């Protein structure tokens, strides 16, 4: 299954990468997953590879949009409650009926919603316009077929006239045979799955949803629900990133945290490659003594294979300066190595991993929406020179404003939980005054 190509040329190892350079390198390498044919229930969330045409019209026949009576309009001319048109009821027409009675002059056929319009009939009158065949005044509901009707004489009184084609759904009024039902590139949600079923398609050719394996590193990490020991913290990154991968459209698998041992991490990743179209690690990519991801993956590439291996680099951004990207294993499975701090990890996912997942899905637009908004804060917001800063914020679409949430610390996960946007402060900007218009990435 092809998912990677040769990476784009890289800056020198000792220089900072820009956000655009790093993302371009990822998107130049990641390719849509090979198309496969799936049954409709399995195709939900996938992207269509080919245009789907309509083989038969929807609806395939003229049918009633109401419970009532199929009639000829000439028989109802001048009908009123005082002087109703009296018609002979010749039979019932239910949804799925095969043999249909022919409606002649002075006749009517009782018809149910969705049932085919019988020959000779020109319109449908709702049951509320009639006495329901009971010989009295107007009724509000139709009796079940075959039910006894006190005072019924096999006739129905209709209290008002009807226009031709009234309450009739015309054949092809939804889509006609030969129309384009769905175009290539469409993400298959519930309405699209319903349309495909309605036109008789049981299987479709799609890019499958990518399988993403998320793995945390750190000897200090334990799982939620366990008791914290001295120096331990709960592993939150793997849960957040797995949820984010699913939100992006992937089938995501969370792997329990791996300790700071390079051999153990390398083995854990290799074990996961059988079910991975993309591997995401979090933690161990900085310059510390126990940055196990760098130690484990810096030399995994095959020198004879172009594009193989993982490159660790520094980006001109905050949070998320340390990053890693490359491919591993015999299938050159792409791998993104994200920082370990919770905010750094999540911001990095939004900027780099989410677009990679969307690219694997075969989507053309892989980016979150970006809008312009006015900074709503009491004082100026500072930003480090030469770094593009991504601050958490809450966006007010009606007011066109963005308000920062929490501080700039990359460990402030509580503030992240209340944010629905990222405020972008450019590299050359060191201070942003209240009321300034800024770019905002919508992540909520």
């Amino acid at each position: 299954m092809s998912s990677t190509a040769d990476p784009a040329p890289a800056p020198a190892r000792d220089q900072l990468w820009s956000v655009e350079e790093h993302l371009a390198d990822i998107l130049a390498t990641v390719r849509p997953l090979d198309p496969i044919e799936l049954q409709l229930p399995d195709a939900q969330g996938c992207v269509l590879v080919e245009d789907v045409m309509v083989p038969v019209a929807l609806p395939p026949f003229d049918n009633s949009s109401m419970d009532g009576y199929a009639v000829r309009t000439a028989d109802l001319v001048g009908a009123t409650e005082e002087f109703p048109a009296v018609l002979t009821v010749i039979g019932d027409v239910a949804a799925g009926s095969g043999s249909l009675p022919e409606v002649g002059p002075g006749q009517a056929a009782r018809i149910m919603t969705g049932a085919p319009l019988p020959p000779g009939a020109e319109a449908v009158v709702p049951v509320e316009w009639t006495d329901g065949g009971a010989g009295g005044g107007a009724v509000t509901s139709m009796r079940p077929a075959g039910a006894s009707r006190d005072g019924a004489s096999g006739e129905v009184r209709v209290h008002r006239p009807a226009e031709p084609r009234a309450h009739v759904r015309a054949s092809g009024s939804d889509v006609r045979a030969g129309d384009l039902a769905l175009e290539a590139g469409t993400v298959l949600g519930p309405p699209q799955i319903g349309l495909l079923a309605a036109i008789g398609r049981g299987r479709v050719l799609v890019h499958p949803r990518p399988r993403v394996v998320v793995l945390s590193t750190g000897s200090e990490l334990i799982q939620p629900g366990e008791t914290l020991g001295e120096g331990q913290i709960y592993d939150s990154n793997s849960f957040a990133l797995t949820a984010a991968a699913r939100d992006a459209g992937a089938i995501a698998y969370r792997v329990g945290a791996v300790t700071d041992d390079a051999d153990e991490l390398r083995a854990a990743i290799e074990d996961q490659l059988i079910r991975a179209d993309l591997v995401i690690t979090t933690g161990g990519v900085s310059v510390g003594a126990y940055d196990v991801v760098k130690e484990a993956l810096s030399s995994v590439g095959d020198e004879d294979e172009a594009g193989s291996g993982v490159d660790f680099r520094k980006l001109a951004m905050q949070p998320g300066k340390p990053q890693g990207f490359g491919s591993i294993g015999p299938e050159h499975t792409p791998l993104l190595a994200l920082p370990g701090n919770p905010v750094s990890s999540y911001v990095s996912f939004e900027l780099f991993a989410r677009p990679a997942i969307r690219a694997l899905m075969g989507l053309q637009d892989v980016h979150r929406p970006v809008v312009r908004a006015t900074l709503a804060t009491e004082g100026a917001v500072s930003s480090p020179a030469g770094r593009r800063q991504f601050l958490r914020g809450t966006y007010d679409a009606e007011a066109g404003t963005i308000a920062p949430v929490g501080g700039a610390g990359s460990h402030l996960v509580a503030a992240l939980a209340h944010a629905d946007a990222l405020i972008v402060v450019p590299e050359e900007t060191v201070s942003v005054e209240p009321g300034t218009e800024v770019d905002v990435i919508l992540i909520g």
Side-chain angles (χ1 to χ4, degrees):
M1 184 174 290
S2 175
S3 60
T4 60
D6 291 345
R13 283 187 173 273
D14 58 350
Q15 75 177 73
L16 289 176
W17 288 60
S18 70
V19 172
E20 287 84 3
E21 288 169 337
H22 185 58
L23 179 59
D25 188 39
I26 294 169
L27 295 182
T29 304
V30 173
R31 291 287 183 266
L33 298 176
D34 291 340
I36 59 174
E37 193 174 59
L38 293 178
Q39 294 183 347
L40 290 189
D42 300 321
Q44 183 173 353
C46 297
V47 176
L48 269 179
V49 171
E50 59 185 359
D51 292 343
V52 175
M53 310 306 290
V54 178
V56 293
L58 285 183
F61 48 82
D62 291 352
N63 69 91
S64 176
S65 66
M66 305 286 287
D67 289 340
Y69 292 85
V71 298
R72 292 159 50 95
T73 57
D75 293 331
L76 306 184
V77 174
T80 66
E81 290 192 19
E82 186 178 1
F83 301 105
V86 181
L87 306 176
T88 301
V89 180
I90 60 172
D92 286 334
V93 183
S97 293
S99 178
L100 302 176
E102 183 167 355
V103 177
Q107 296 179 335
R110 198 166 64 146
I111 192 168
M112 314 304 164
T113 302
L117 190 70
E122 300 167 316
V124 173
V125 291
V127 67
E128 294 86 356
W129 295 9
T130 77
D131 68 349
V139 297
T140 58
S141 63
M142 182 169 283
R143 299 172 184 270
S148 64
R149 297 172 293 179
D150 294 339
S153 61
E155 294 179 337
V156 64
R157 288 168 171 78
V158 183
H159 303 141
R160 65 179 74 175
E163 296 293 327
R165 309 295 293 176
H167 307 296
V168 174
R169 301 169 179 147
S171 173
S173 57
D174 190 354
V175 290
R176 296 168 299 181
D179 283 352
L180 175 66
L182 296 171
E183 63 181 352
T186 300
V187 180
L188 298 181
Q192 292 77 31
I193 295 289
L195 173 58
L196 289 167
I199 63 174
R201 286 292 295 265
R203 303 173 67 87
V204 284
L205 189 65
V206 296
H207 293 296
R209 295 167 61 197
R211 301 164 301 164
V212 176
V213 171
V214 178
L215 188 148
S216 287
T217 64
S219 298
E220 76 281 11
L221 300 177
I222 66 168
Q223 299 307 299
E226 299 178 2
T227 301
L228 285 175
E230 188 71 26
Q232 292 182 324
I233 60 173
Y234 290 119
D235 171 20
S236 63
N237 284 1
S238 67
F239 287 91
L241 297 185
T242 301
R246 289 173 181 159
D247 183 69
I251 299 169
Y253 306 103
R254 191 191 70 85
V255 179
V258 178
T259 60
D260 291 319
D261 181 279
D263 292 335
E264 183 179 338
L265 174 61
R266 192 180 297 111
I269 292 176
E270 289 173 351
D271 285 345
Q272 296 298 321
L273 292 180
I274 192 171
R275 63 170 181 174
D277 298 308
L278 172 68
V279 175
I280 299 175
T281 66
T282 171
V285 296
S286 187
V287 293
Y290 296 100
D291 290 321
V292 64
V293 176
K294 291 180 67 174
E295 181 182 352
L297 301 180
S298 290
S299 59
V300 297
D302 185 340
E303 293 182 358
D304 297 328
E305 292 288 344
S308 177
V310 178
D311 182 34
F312 292 90
R313 52 190 66 158
K314 298 175 182 178
L315 271 60
M317 63 179 284
Q318 185 186 57
K321 181 180 178 180
Q323 301 283 337
F325 171 66
S327 65
I328 58 174
E331 299 296 325
H332 294 279
T333 303
L335 180 143
L336 287 168
L338 309 183
N341 281 318
V343 176
S344 300
S345 173
Y346 190 77
V347 169
S348 299
F349 179 94
E350 285 290 339
L351 296 179
F352 308 121
R354 192 176 195 276
I357 291 171
R358 308 289 280 179
L360 286 168
M361 292 176 65
L363 290 166
Q364 295 299 312
D365 185 5
V366 301
H367 302 289
R368 289 283 202 183
V370 178
V371 299
R372 296 284 287 176
T374 301
L375 186 66
T377 181
E378 294 182 358
V381 174
S382 62
S383 185
R387 300 286 189 274
R388 184 177 305 180
Q389 185 165 206
F390 297 90
L391 297 169
R392 282 75 68 206
T394 55
Y395 174 61
D396 186 332
E398 186 174 342
T401 59
I402 183 75
V405 177
S410 57
H411 64 293
L412 302 175
V413 67
L416 180 63
H418 297 284
D420 60 10
L422 297 176
I423 305 168
V424 183
V425 182
E427 292 86 340
E428 66 276 8
T429 302
V430 296
S431 180
V432 185
E433 297 295 327
T436 303
E437 205 174 59
V438 293
D439 281 340
V440 173
I441 302 172
L442 304 180
I443 62 174

